[in-house]
Amino acid sequence: MLHRKSSFCKCPAAFASPSRFFVRWRVMTFTQHHSTAQLDDHPRRRYYSGGNLDRVQSIEDLRARTHRLMPRLVLEYLEGGSGEEATLARERAAFADWRFVPHTLVDEHDRSVARDILGREAAMPLLIAPTGLNGIMRRHADIALAQGAASAGVPFVQSTMSNERMEDVAKVKGLRHWWQLYVFGGNEIWQSLVDRAHDAGCEALVLTTNSQIFGQREWYARTRMNQTMPSVPTVLNAAAHPRWIATTLNRGMPDFANVIDYIPKDKRGFFQSAFWIRSQMPKTLSWDHVARIRDRWKRPFFLKGLLHPHDIRRAMESGVDGVILGSHGGRQGDWTVSALDMLPTAREIVGDSMALYMSGGIRRGTDILKAVALGADAVLAGRAPLYGLCAAGADGVAKALDLLRAEMMNELGQMGAKSMDSLNPDILVRARDLPLQLPKSAVGGQG
Ligand SMILES: Cc1cc2nc3c(=O)[nH]c(=O)nc-3n(C[C@H](O)[C@H](O)[C@H](O)COP(=O)(O)O)c2cc1C
């Protein structure tokens, strides 16, 4: 997943000094792109991995810079999935199963990708997904994500496992702040987090339902000697990333600022805390918890991590305001369907009765258009804004969101559609059903 095949340049200048050799090798290893537009890999194509955001063309460029700047420990945490990473792969592949059938000769001059999220206009139907441990990517990462979201006009969902106090994140100007809840430990912990989220002005609460048993993320585990100690190669690799050390670890490892007080004093180291919290997640999380949280939290309440139609029906009866389909970015159960696979069925089930969001694999504006056309009210993006964060902090997050929005605007026009509400499944066809065999009546044939 992390490595692309190296085709190291034979140019003698590359060998001129060991440091030049090293820099060149790293840049080329991580930034190559292969496509049908090339003949035998020619012309040689590389993603832009430099620091000038004006030159960044797509999320893949931000990802290339992320791979250049971040040590292996961070990359395996950020990129990796569980088990064979089959769910992770499906989350991207599911988008490739769908092709647009565009309209043309449509007046496109006043098209818009804006959409209502909880009754307020957002710049596009997207939220920054909750992600934990962001503090190992950059210091004050959660503030940077919140600033990027606020400047792009979309909500930010802060994770229970974030590294910045929710009260501090709430101070970001113009932010639409949501809180993601993990239930762990005794009831008093979730109750206090819910009350704090209320007092901090969070607009909505998201209960993550599919992470009580931690996914088998074996590639991430391979970076450590044991639960709490990185392996020697991991430490050496981290030491070779001075810029990461300077922007991230200048004041030591981050902590889990929102829950640190609940963690026993001798387990407050970074890795110890993470494992302790995981060990405290009740395996009995149930619809009963959902009812109790619903009782306490009076603002919009979402369940995250559902895929099975039965659970979606059950969610409707539980009084929540919406569901977020997803598989935790391929980090929990392996070999599951992706959220996109389940969208049409989920929309059929929920009708207009509650909000339907999805997360998993969003890297392009076209991904968001496909998700909306298949029934999503909005999508959550996890890694895409994180690549922006790793590449350039809050500016990088804003750039990632701008790119997605600009791609959506362009592609919406290319499809001959004018607004999010005008998208529906008619504009898509499953690649496996091509070539299309329509009945003559459907194309207005004369017989
Ligand atoms: C690094 C990382 C950390 C995550 N941490 C959390 C978390 O703390 N809580 C949560 O509900 N989901 C978490 N997720 C899942 C995301 O909210 C989201 O569902 C997923 O990233 C979507 O897939 P994408 O990364 O392809 O956009 C995490 C995902 C990643 C990549």
Side-chain angles (χ1 to χ4, degrees):
M1 204 47 210
L2 299 181
H3 292 282
R4 288 161 209 279
K5 210 176 108 214
S6 172
S7 68
F8 185 72
C9 170
K10 293 181 182 72
C11 155
F15 295 92
S17 75
S19 61
R20 245 174 115 181
F21 173 94
F22 180 67
V23 168
R24 205 162 175 111
W25 172 79
R26 282 199 38 218
V27 170
M28 299 190 68
T29 304
F30 294 131
T31 59
Q32 278 179 63
H33 172 82
H34 304 276
S35 125
T36 46
Q38 293 164 291
L39 175 63
D40 294 337
D41 264 359
H42 187 271
R44 188 165 281 146
R45 285 177 163 184
R46 263 170 243 129
Y47 295 110
Y48 175 71
S49 65
N52 180 354
L53 288 178
D54 291 339
R55 292 192 56 195
V56 167
Q57 298 298 320
S58 77
I59 297 291
E60 277 303 315
D61 290 335
L62 295 171
R63 183 180 183 215
R65 183 158 179 79
T66 297
H67 278 242
R68 200 173 142 186
L69 297 182
M70 296 293 123
R72 186 173 186 91
L73 174 80
V74 173
L75 291 178
E76 288 293 7
Y77 172 68
L78 165 63
E79 297 279 39
S82 59
E84 286 179 65
E85 301 188 325
T87 302
L88 181 70
R90 180 65 203 156
E91 292 203 329
R92 283 300 299 143
F95 287 99
D97 278 355
W98 294 95
R99 293 273 165 168
F100 292 104
V101 189
H103 290 284
T104 188
L105 296 175
V106 177
D107 179 356
E108 292 287 352
H109 82 280
D110 62 349
R111 69 192 183 281
S112 160
V113 296
R115 187 164 239 201
D116 264 20
I117 293 182
L118 297 183
R120 283 173 61 193
E121 186 173 291
M124 60 182 151
L126 179 141
L127 303 89
I128 295 190
T131 53
L133 284 66
N134 299 327
I136 59 165
M137 297 166 209
R138 191 174 262 261
R139 201 158 179 82
H140 300 310
D142 301 295
I143 301 272
L145 285 162
Q147 289 168 335
S151 83
V154 299
F156 166 57
V157 190
Q158 187 182 353
S159 165
T160 295
M161 296 296 281
S162 56
N163 303 114
E164 214 68 48
R165 282 172 52 80
M166 69 169 95
E167 291 78 6
D168 295 333
V169 171
K171 288 182 196 147
V172 171
K173 238 176 144 198
L175 177 65
R176 295 183 66 177
H177 191 193
W178 293 28
W179 181 255
Q180 176 263 324
L181 180 69
Y182 277 130
V183 171
F184 73 95
N187 288 329
E188 70 287 356
I189 299 182
W190 71 257
Q191 287 167 353
S192 131
L193 286 170
V194 165
D195 294 349
R196 275 176 60 195
H198 178 275
D199 294 346
C202 290
E203 188 182 353
L205 184 74
V206 173
L207 173 68
T208 297
T209 63
N210 62 346
S211 301
Q212 296 309 106
I213 299 169
F214 194 69
Q216 308 248 26
R217 302 177 198 167
E218 54 191 60
W219 284 106
Y220 183 46
R222 284 185 181 105
T223 64
R224 293 189 309 272
M225 205 132 68
N226 54 39
Q227 277 200 347
T228 54
M229 288 276 291
S231 69
V232 173
T234 301
V235 173
L236 293 177
N237 174 270
H241 291 78
R243 203 179 329 200
W244 171 73
I245 293 172
T247 53
T248 311
L249 299 188
N250 49 355
R251 297 216 201 111
M253 290 296 270
D255 63 18
F256 296 96
N258 291 288
V259 295
I260 190 83
D261 293 342
Y262 305 115
I263 302 172
K265 286 211 166 72
D266 61 332
K267 299 213 163 37
R268 289 190 182 170
F270 181 75
F271 293 110
Q272 286 96 328
S273 302
F275 279 97
W276 184 83
I277 293 168
R278 273 175 216 165
S279 73
Q280 300 301 306
M281 291 189 163
K283 310 299 175 260
T284 50
L285 189 78
S286 69
W287 293 100
D288 189 43
H289 286 88
V290 173
R292 281 190 280 150
I293 296 167
R294 174 71 291 184
D295 243 21
R296 199 171 184 100
W297 175 264
K298 303 299 179 200
R299 296 178 190 157
F301 179 29
F302 288 71
L303 300 181
K304 176 171 183 283
L306 282 69
L307 287 171
H308 200 289
H310 171 82
D311 297 344
I312 298 165
R313 269 190 214 102
R314 192 77 197 263
M316 286 168 70
E317 293 154 14
S318 74
V320 299
D321 299 279
V323 292
I324 302 167
L325 306 180
S327 61
H328 217 88
R331 301 156 81 80
Q332 286 297 111
D334 204 10
W335 289 100
T336 75
V337 290
S338 79
L340 194 83
D341 291 326
M342 298 310 294
L343 255 180
T345 306
R347 176 50 77 191
E348 214 176 299
I349 292 170
V350 306
D352 290 331
S353 66
M354 65 178 183
L356 178 63
Y357 297 176
M358 65 78 72
S359 81
I362 298 290
R363 304 287 185 274
R364 287 277 182 188
T366 46
D367 298 336
I368 306 171
L369 297 182
K370 286 177 184 177
V372 170
L374 290 174
D377 292 310
V379 306
L380 278 75
R383 292 181 182 86
L386 289 179
Y387 296 143
L389 172 82
C390 293
D395 291 345
V397 175
K399 180 73 190 186
L401 298 174
D402 280 356
L403 284 168
L404 291 173
R405 192 177 163 281
E407 286 176 8
M408 282 179 77
M409 270 301 271
N410 181 298
E411 294 287 354
L412 189 72
Q414 305 289 353
M415 300 315 143
K418 294 180 71 160
S419 69
M420 291 298 99
D421 291 343
S422 68
L423 292 175
N424 62 51
D426 286 352
I427 202 165
L428 292 172
V429 61
R430 264 193 194 278
R432 69 159 186 248
D433 295 333
L434 293 171
L436 274 186
Q437 308 275 341
L438 291 184
K440 283 200 174 114
S441 57
V443 288
Q446 299 294 304

